[in-house]
Amino acid sequence: MINLVVLPIIVPLLIGTVLLLFRNNLTVQRIGGIVGALLTLVISVVLLTKVYTDGIQVVTLGSWDAPFGISLVSDMLSVLLVTSSSLITFVVLWYSVYALGEERERFFFYPAVLFMLSGINGAFTTGDIFNLFVFFEVFLMASYVLIALGGERIQLRESMKYIIVNIVAAALFVITIGYIYSVAGTLNMADLSVKLGEIGSMGVISTIAIMFLVVFGIKAGIFPLYFWLPGAYYAPPLPILALFGALLTKVGIYSIARVYTLIFTTDVAFTHDILMMLAIATIVFGSIGALAYMDIKKIIIYNIVIAVGVILFGFAAFNSTAVTGATLYLVHDMLVKALLFLMIGVLILITGKTNLREMGGLIRHYPALGWTYLVAVFALAGIPPLSGFAGKILIIQGGLEGGFVWQSIVVAASTMVVLLSAIRIFIYAFWGSEKPFNAPPKKAYSQYMAPVVVLFVLVMGYGVFIEFLTPFFLEAGRQLMDPSFYVDAVLGGNN
């Protein structure tokens, strides 16, 4: 029997491979893609309940025990992110049936998305730092296909930048892996935690920690390494932008969180203080970008950067309250960013424009879209009692507990920046004098809105029922703050 831990990686990979054989049958492509994502979601939910009831789940591939064999590990953080990624992929694929266009769909869109999901789930699950690199390359190769899908000039230009940046990051990743292996003699994350803990604080280990921060910071989009992100995410169609914005930067955040809570914990005063400074700078510069633009896509894209800073602040504060809040806010941000990008897609369908100055008066014709967008913005900003509030308040509380007073004030102030930047879309597009627009057929509008409404309900439920979900995040925070849970699950009696 195949272990549940493996299935969220294997299922989308196998179904995506089968779909490669049916390029000209769009119906099979659509059904296969949606069913593949839905099946992965169901498996992830089952795995989530198993991790919660039975503890961290580990499978070691091949006939070698850890740390010599290849370990796949589902702890609470990992399985929460796998479940969220599978859910978002399912909703976005449903939305894409109506929003992407048949020409783009036929160019291996559904297989590429499933391959990307497989790589993302693998990155969240692997217990080996070299295989983290391998899964990075799997989902990045799929993203190269997606970012250029359609072949428009802006896509080709930005895809070249995107590919070059990721090739440089991959080279640095391999070099850094070589350095850490030369120091510790292992690449298993649990074994690294034990061996580096025994070595203690050393300059070379802190240097390697900063090199990993650079590698993963490029993926996450932290300051000053986010320079590639606004243009690259702006280029592809909205369904692909929703996937990128919700998922790809989160793999970088997860990787930083994993190595900075499990492996590099012997020189926190140095490594985590640098992470703290970069997190605050990311919030500040993301805020500047979000306020500077009148393009609806750019506004939400820069809000991705702000959220990256807020989440990493929680992990940099490195106490139980802040780490739990960062985990909670991470899942929230994945869901709400996907929702907002899908809503932006509906708005572009209606107006055919992305410049706010060319929109206005839509609330008279599309009140449901307008008011749901406004509530989603409140959730994004963390207005109580919506989904962003609990995570952000825990992050700020944890920052204050750690003595990071002015930094916590910056995080709190970012709430107003997020609200101001995103609510401009509501004010300009839905209020004011009515501007010309081409109303889509009611059927097309309803088809676009159906997955949006489903995701909206889930985001609202995430806030309303947060009391019932909190035990999952408390467990995630507990496991992250005490690496012995992870180490004992992986190494057992070998450590």
Side-chain angles (χ1 to χ4, degrees), residues 152-165:
E152 295 180 4
R153 179 176 295 180
I154 185 175
Q155 290 180 270
L156 297 177
R157 183 183 72 239
E158 294 299 332
S159 65
M160 289 301 297
K161 183 198 303 181
Y162 179 75
I163 292 170
I164 290 170
V165 167

Side-chain angles (χ1 to χ4, degrees), residues 106-396:
R106 292 183 188 277
F107 279 94
F108 304 106
F109 169 72
Y110 295 97
V113 171
L114 291 179
F115 291 151
M116 188 173 79
L117 178 61
S118 177
I120 289 170
N121 287 348
F124 288 146
T125 306
T126 183
D128 181 282
I129 207 154
F130 179 77
N131 285 296
L132 179 61
F133 164 76
V134 172
F135 283 118
F136 264 62
E137 294 308 300
V138 170
F139 76 73
L140 283 172
M141 283 190 288
S143 72
Y144 297 156
V145 174
L146 293 172
I147 195 173
L149 199 64
E152 295 180 4
R153 179 176 295 180
I154 185 175
Q155 290 180 270
L156 297 177
R157 183 183 72 239
E158 294 299 332
S159 65
M160 289 301 297
K161 183 198 303 181
Y162 179 75
I163 292 170
I164 290 170
V165 167
N166 280 290
I167 288 173
V168 172
L172 182 58
F173 199 170
V174 172
I175 293 168
T176 309
I177 289 171
Y179 282 149
I180 199 168
Y181 184 78
S182 70
V183 171
T186 183
L187 294 176
N188 181 282
M189 292 185 191
D191 203 30
L192 280 170
S193 179
V194 173
K195 297 239 175 109
L196 295 187
E198 292 172 349
I199 294 172
S201 178
M202 284 180 60
V204 66
I205 296 176
S206 297
T207 301
I208 293 170
I210 298 305
M211 291 178 69
F212 273 117
L213 180 58
V214 172
V215 171
F216 298 142
I218 293 173
K219 314 291 186 183
I222 67 172
F223 174 84
L225 304 171
Y226 70 87
F227 62 90
W228 60 270
L229 189 150
Y233 281 18
Y234 189 89
L238 255 300
I240 297 171
L241 170 54
L243 285 173
F244 283 16
L247 303 183
L248 294 193
T249 55
K250 307 311 182 290
V251 184
I253 293 173
Y254 164 81
S255 302
I256 293 172
R258 177 63 70 196
V259 300
Y260 271 60
T261 58
L262 178 64
I263 300 173
F264 300 113
T265 58
T266 57
D267 193 10
V268 173
F270 176 69
T271 55
H272 289 58
D273 280 359
I274 290 180
L275 178 59
M276 173 69 70
M277 291 187 291
L278 293 177
I280 295 300
T282 303
I283 294 171
V284 171
F285 283 88
S287 299
I288 293 171
L291 295 173
Y293 286 95
M294 294 295 287
D295 185 289
I296 55 177
K297 291 167 68 175
K298 283 284 180 69
I299 291 170
I300 306 301
I301 287 170
Y302 273 98
N303 271 281
I304 295 173
V305 179
I306 298 173
V308 168
V310 171
I311 296 164
L312 290 180
F313 171 85
F315 289 114
F318 202 53
N319 57 57
S320 181
T321 303
V323 167
T324 301
T327 305
L328 203 159
Y329 196 81
L330 174 56
V331 173
H332 148 78
D333 192 66
M334 293 170 72
L335 296 172
V336 78
K337 285 298 191 310
L339 173 62
L340 286 171
F341 281 121
L342 297 188
M343 286 183 166
I344 292 300
V346 179
L347 194 55
I348 293 173
L349 169 72
I350 294 168
T351 63
K353 301 177 178 67
T354 61
N355 191 324
L356 284 176
R357 295 186 180 91
E358 300 175 353
M359 304 178 190
L362 293 178
I363 199 70
R364 303 177 184 88
H365 304 279
Y366 301 97
L369 176 62
W371 295 118
T372 52
Y373 173 81
L374 182 62
V375 175
V377 168
F378 288 156
L380 175 71
I383 303 300
L386 300 173
S387 59
F389 174 72
K392 186 168 284 188
I393 202 69
L394 285 174
I395 290 172
I396 294 170

